[in-house]
Amino acid sequence: MTKNEIKAINKKDFAIVFSVKNANPNGDPNNGNRPRQSPFDSIGEISDVALKRKIRNRFMDYDQDIFVQSEDRTNDGFRSLKDRADSIEGLKGADSETYKKIACETWIDVRTFGQVFSFKGDKNDSVSVGVRGPVAIQSAFSVHPIEITSTKITKSVNLVTSNKKTSDTMGEKHRVNYGLYVCYGSINSQLAQDTKFSDKDAALLKKILCSIFENDVSAARPSGSMEVHNVYWWEHNSPLGQYSSAKVHRSLEIKQKVESPTSYDDFEIKVNELDGLSVEVLPGY
């Protein structure tokens, strides 16, 4: 094994079970920023993009270098992805394979989720490089129909100095009264080998999933309104895995004990055993 090679990690599957209480976990900009919800069965939804944003932020909490940083949370002063990429020695003018190698070594979110590097420039400065990441995360869905409460809000101060009293501006805030959500994911061994995503990276990801909503407080998501109850982690005994991810994910069963649940205690959760594949159950914190 050469210095730049990495031992193939075994396939991994995971699930996160978490609750939302009196919060807007993921507003839909196409629907007045109401919490995302299926129009057919009122099932709540949180997009995979929103979940990846929270994971990236938690990576930053653990002093990891992140390529896709949000405007309201950046630790290097760069205001664009291109500026951040151009700051890395060896990337400018590199061929595709070298570009991918340096990017994956530099940023943990690139070697985790992958990234499309597409920057326009002159003939010698254009970049078009794609990286496929090994960690796949699905959107989270509530296991029962959710109820959404909307409240009117008003502006009580003038935006600019004026002798006239301005009319109050009306708006709306929306919240999910209570919802229990589940999100599934997996780690592909072959792609992990391509990006050099290691077992050490997987261990950090597992830790982060248990606290994915920490340091994510906002007016829409007050402190304590989103809580991870358990992370279920399956580690196969080979890179290819003993079972398909679909079969592993189906082994987690969540059933309502009451018609209108209002707490985690209103559900029965069990994991059906798969021969030769154990599950590690980690509590949220």
Side-chain angles (χ1 to χ4, degrees), residues 121-162:
D122 59 38
K123 187 167 60 175
N124 299 319
D125 197 30
S126 291
V127 175
S128 182
V129 177
V131 179
R132 287 187 64 192
V135 178
I137 292 182
Q138 302 176 19
S139 294
F141 294 93
S142 66
V143 299
H144 61 98
I146 59 171
E147 293 183 356
I148 297 174
T149 296
S150 299
T151 56
K152 295 286 186 181
I153 57 175
T154 60
K155 173 179 65 65
S156 60
V157 296
N158 292 338
L159 295 179
V160 296
T161 302
S162 173

Side-chain angles (χ1 to χ4, degrees), residues 19-48:
S19 61
V20 176
K21 188 169 186 178
N22 296 328
N24 186 344
N26 184 203
D28 183 353
N30 293 322
N31 191 23
N33 208 42
R34 286 172 59 85
R36 296 177 188 269
Q37 185 181 35
S38 165
F40 307 108
D41 52 16
S42 299
I43 294 297
E45 179 181 355
I46 301 173
S47 73
D48 60 314

Side-chain angles (χ1 to χ4, degrees), residues 9-16 134-138 182-189 197 199 202 205-206 209 230-252 271 274 277-282:
I9 69 174
N10 291 340
K11 177 185 175 182
K12 307 176 201 312
D13 287 290
F14 57 85
I16 318 164
V135 178
I137 292 182
Q138 302 176 19
V182 60
C183 167
Y184 297 103
S186 61
I187 301 177
N188 180 292
S189 177
F197 182 88
D199 275 317
L205 174 65
K206 179 168 63 172
L209 295 180
N230 287 114
V231 171
Y232 298 83
W233 188 272
W234 294 267
E235 182 153 355
H236 299 251
N237 62 13
S238 68
L240 290 178
Q242 298 129 275
Y243 301 93
S244 69
S245 293
K247 190 166 188 177
V248 174
H249 295 162
R250 281 200 306 271
S251 70
L252 177 63
V271 182
L274 294 172
L277 181 64
S278 60
V279 58
E280 182 181 4
V281 183
L282 302 104

Side-chain angles (χ1 to χ4, degrees), residues 1-9 64 97-98 100-114 131-135 187-202:
M1 185 180 295
T2 67
K3 182 178 179 181
N4 292 325
E5 288 179 332
I6 185 171
K7 180 176 178 284
I9 69 174
Q64 300 295 309
E97 286 305 310
T98 302
K100 288 167 62 174
K101 177 178 179 294
I102 294 174
C104 289
E105 289 175 348
T106 303
W107 298 294
I108 191 172
D109 60 329
V110 174
R111 65 176 179 269
T112 300
F113 300 126
V131 179
R132 287 187 64 192
V135 178
I187 301 177
N188 180 292
S189 177
Q190 179 183 349
L191 294 177
Q193 208 163 6
D194 289 343
T195 69
K196 305 298 185 287
F197 182 88
S198 65
D199 275 317
K200 183 179 179 181
D201 293 330

